[in-house]
Structures are given as C-alpha cells and as structure tokens.
C-alpha cells in the first residue's frame, strides 16, 4: 500500500511540476513578446495553520463573501468530526495542505516517525477530498532534511508572521500585518482563534481597498 501511495504522490507532483513550469513559460513568453508584465496589481497569499477548528467555518463564510481564496494547512488530529468543514474548503476553491498529525517539530523525530506524521495527515485529507496534497507547512518552520525524498511533498514557509497566536488581539494583529505587508508576501495566520478570524477578514478588506489580489500558495510559487 505504501508503494502505491508513493507512486500516486510522485505522479501527482510530477504533473503539478509540469503544469507550473508550463504556466511560468507561458507567462514569460507573453512578457517577452508583448513587452508587458504579466500582472500589475500586488498580491499576497493568506495562509492558515492548525485547523480545522470551531472557528474555521465562519472564516470560510467570510472569505467566500469577499471572493478570496486562501491556503489551509491542516493538523491530522483536528480532522475527525470536521469533515464537513474540509469539504467546504475544497468546494470554495481553497488550497488544502498538510501540517503534520500532532503539530510536532519534524527535526526532533526519527525519519520513520516524521514520515508517519506527514503520511497519516495526507491520508486523512485524501479520504475526504480525494486528493493527495502536495504541500506541507512544517510546524515551527523546521523541515527535516531529506524528508521530501521520502514523502514527495513541497514545504511552504512564510514571509510575514502575523503573530496572531501570541497576541490574540484583533487590532494588534491587523496593525502588525498592515505595517509590514508587501507584494508577494505569504502571510502566516491561524484559524483556531476567534481573534484570528476577525483579524483575517479585516486584513482582507483593507488589502482589497489597496488593490491587492489574494492567491493560494501554489499560484505564488509560480512567480
């Protein structure tokens, strides 16, 4: 079963890589032949870790109302009983990624333990969505060297930390992001606090007013 899982994963990642390369080449060709840039508006990727939680559905509702797509890195231990939330994520067009099963620092585990943390979460997501996610946000930003060869995944970190988990104060979180945000940022937030949900929607409203476009991390990686 593990060999079959590895094969499916490898095929999916190869297809994804081919599509990303083709898209990037197409954009480059357009720029070279027309003399214009592929886009003019600044854009950011809004990402959420540690869910799904009791607050995730209200976040999804708010993002849907605003026409915004985001990326959710899920903890495997939080999935059971919240399958409906994950199906809604998929239906709304958000990118779903892996955040390990127990939110552990992968670099402190053996190779086998680290692999199981990742694989068990990917399997849980697959049972609900029918898709093996190719993206992982390693907890604490610590990716275990060589693990990508065992699990065939793409680690995704961040460029702007909202520190929402620490302050849990909506005005502070919003101000922290707004004073730092720039074109191309991958913003780290969490969907396991009510203040984070409130902050995220306020940030979306403010950035949209400034002309920002919201994309999922796979779209940002193409750039």
């Amino acid at each position: 079963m593990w060999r079959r899982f590895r094969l499916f994963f490898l095929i999916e990642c190869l297809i994804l890589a081919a599509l990303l390369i083709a898209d990037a080449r197409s954009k480059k060709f357009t720029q070279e032949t027309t003399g214009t840039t592929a886009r003019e508006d600044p854009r950011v990727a809004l990402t959420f870790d540690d869910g799904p939680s009791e607050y995730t559905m209200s976040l999804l509702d708010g993002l849907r109302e605003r026409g915004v797509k985001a990326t959710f890195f899920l903890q495997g231990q939080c999935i059971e009983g919240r399958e409906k939330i994950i199906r809604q994520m998929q239906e709304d067009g958000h990118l779903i990624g892996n955040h390990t099963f127990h939110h552990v620092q992968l670099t402190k585990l053996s190779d086998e333990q680290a692999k199981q943390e990742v694989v068990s979460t990917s399997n849980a997501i697959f049972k609900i969505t029918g898709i093996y996610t190719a993206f992982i946000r390693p907890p604490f930003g610590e990716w275990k060297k060589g693990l990508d060869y065992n699990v065939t995944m793409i680690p995704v970190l961040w460029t702007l930390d909202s520190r929402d988990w620490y302050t849990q104060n909506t005005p502070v979180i919003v101000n922290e992001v707004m004073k730092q945000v720039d074109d191309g940022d991958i913003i780290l937030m969490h969907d396991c606090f009510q203040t984070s949900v409130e902050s995220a929607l306020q940030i979306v409203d403010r950035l949209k007013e400034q002309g920002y476009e919201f994309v999922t991390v796979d779209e940002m990686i193409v750039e």
Side-chain angles (χ1 to χ4, degrees), residues 16-175:
L16 175 63
L19 289 173
L20 292 178
I21 292 171
D23 187 54
R25 286 177 176 173
S26 175
K27 290 181 178 179
K28 183 179 179 181
F29 176 78
T30 299
Q31 295 174 37
E32 290 176 345
T33 55
T34 65
T36 60
T37 58
R39 61 183 176 84
E40 296 181 357
D41 295 334
R43 64 182 191 168
V44 295
L46 198 57
T47 68
F48 298 92
D49 290 3
D50 292 354
S53 79
E54 59 186 302
Y55 306 110
T56 306
M57 190 61 84
S58 63
L59 174 59
L60 293 176
D61 291 341
L63 293 175
R64 191 183 319 110
E65 291 171 1
R66 292 162 174 79
V68 167
K69 302 293 189 295
T71 303
F72 291 84
F73 293 100
L74 310 184
Q75 281 191 61
Q77 64 182 344
C78 298
I79 290 176
E80 186 175 357
R82 295 185 174 125
E83 293 83 357
K84 180 179 178 181
I85 296 175
I86 298 172
R87 293 190 187 97
Q88 189 65 57
M89 280 182 193
Q90 184 180 34
E91 183 179 329
D92 289 349
H94 301 295
L95 182 65
I96 300 174
N98 188 319
H99 197 45
T100 75
F101 201 88
H102 297 104
H103 198 274
V104 291
Q105 187 170 328
L106 294 171
T107 53
K108 292 184 176 180
L109 303 180
S110 69
D111 289 348
E112 183 59 30
Q113 289 173 324
K115 182 174 70 176
Q116 288 305 314
E117 280 287 330
V118 175
V119 170
S120 58
T121 303
S122 289
N123 283 341
I125 294 171
F126 175 78
K127 288 180 181 178
I128 300 168
T129 65
I131 297 173
Y132 281 114
T133 179
F135 299 92
I136 182 169
R137 161 86 38 87
F140 314 105
E142 297 288 338
W143 180 243
K144 189 174 179 64
K145 185 178 180 180
L147 184 59
D148 47 333
Y149 293 106
N150 292 322
V151 297
T152 321
M153 298 192 74
I154 302 169
V156 178
L157 300 183
W158 58 89
T159 61
L160 196 167
D161 186 353
S162 69
R163 292 178 59 81
D164 58 334
W165 62 272
Y166 178 73
T167 61
Q168 296 188 44
N169 182 304
T170 299
V172 171
I173 297 167
V174 173
N175 289 334

